[in-house]
């Protein structure tokens, strides 16, 4: 996703960086669906910084037995009173938005046994976090 979105990020003066954990466990996920989650979160972050540029950071780490991923930006941020609304289908803060990206992303993450949430950054911007379990249960739809 970093390579795919690099052109758009450069065009809008957004620097992209990673902080990826070393030796993280492998997990079973639908690769295309996970790419969709990263695409939605990263594009939203880039668009949040379109007027002034900024920095997008993608982070991964092991946290309490789960893989935790974060996509942070230094954009306009999120109003705390709308934190829950942003994941509702058809709710959007963008003039051209469909309001489906975050709802779909949350659905994908939850279908993999994880959680997706947002926090306001200290200073500017927002961070979207999601977790995925490091082990697959027998009831998982991803087992072959």
């Amino acid at each position: 996703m970093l390579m795919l979105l690099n052109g758009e990020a450069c065009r809008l003066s957004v620097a992209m960086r990673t902080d990826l954990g070393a030796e993280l466990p492998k997990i079973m996920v639908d690769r295309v669906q996970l790419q969709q989650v990263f695409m939605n979160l990263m594009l939203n972050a880039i668009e949040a910084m379109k007027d002034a540029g900024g920095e997008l950071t993608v982070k991964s780490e092991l946290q309490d037995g789960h893989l935790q991923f974060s996509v942070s930006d230094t954009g306009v941020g999120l109003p705390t009173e709308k934190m829950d609304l942003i994941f509702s289908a058809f709710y959007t803060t963008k003039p051209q938005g469909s309001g489906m990206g975050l709802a779909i992303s949350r659905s994908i993450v939850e279908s993999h046994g994880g959680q997706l949430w947002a926090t306001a950054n200290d200073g500017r911007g927002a961070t979207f976090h999601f977790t995925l379990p490091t082990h697959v249960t027998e009831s998982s739809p991803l087992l072959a």
Side-chain angles (χ1 to χ4, degrees):
M1 284 302 112
L2 290 166
M3 291 183 357
L4 184 64
L5 296 175
N6 189 53
E8 184 71 1
C10 286
R11 188 175 71 77
L12 297 173
S13 300
V14 172
M16 293 194 297
R17 69 179 199 89
T18 59
D19 181 6
L20 305 177
E23 299 183 31
L24 296 176
K26 291 186 185 275
I27 58 173
M28 290 197 51
V29 296
D30 182 310
R31 183 182 306 244
V32 173
Q33 289 183 354
L34 199 58
Q35 288 172 341
Q36 182 67 51
V37 171
F38 276 109
M39 172 84 83
N40 286 338
L41 298 180
M42 292 171 69
L43 270 177
N44 284 351
I46 290 168
E47 289 172 8
M49 298 181 281
K50 70 180 178 198
D51 294 328
E55 184 173 276
L56 178 152
T57 303
V58 177
K59 183 178 179 180
S60 66
E61 62 187 325
L62 194 57
Q63 188 83 303
D64 299 326
H66 288 78
L67 284 180
Q68 182 168 313
F69 300 92
S70 303
V71 176
S72 300
D73 66 63
T74 57
V76 295
L78 295 168
T80 53
E81 67 276 4
K82 303 215 173 162
M83 282 299 189
D84 287 333
L85 282 177
I86 61 173
F87 294 102
S88 300
F90 306 113
Y91 179 83
T92 184
T93 59
K94 298 186 271 188
Q96 315 305 337
S98 69
M100 292 305 295
L102 290 175
I104 290 169
S105 294
R106 180 174 263 182
S107 176
I108 290 170
V109 169
E110 288 177 352
S111 76
H112 284 80
Q115 294 182 329
L116 170 63
W117 70 97
T119 57
N121 293 346
D122 291 336
R124 292 182 47 88
T127 300
F128 285 81
H129 312 269
F130 68 95
T131 59
L132 294 172
T134 57
H135 63 282
V136 179
T137 64
E138 286 190 36
S139 63
S140 172
L142 300 174
L143 275 181

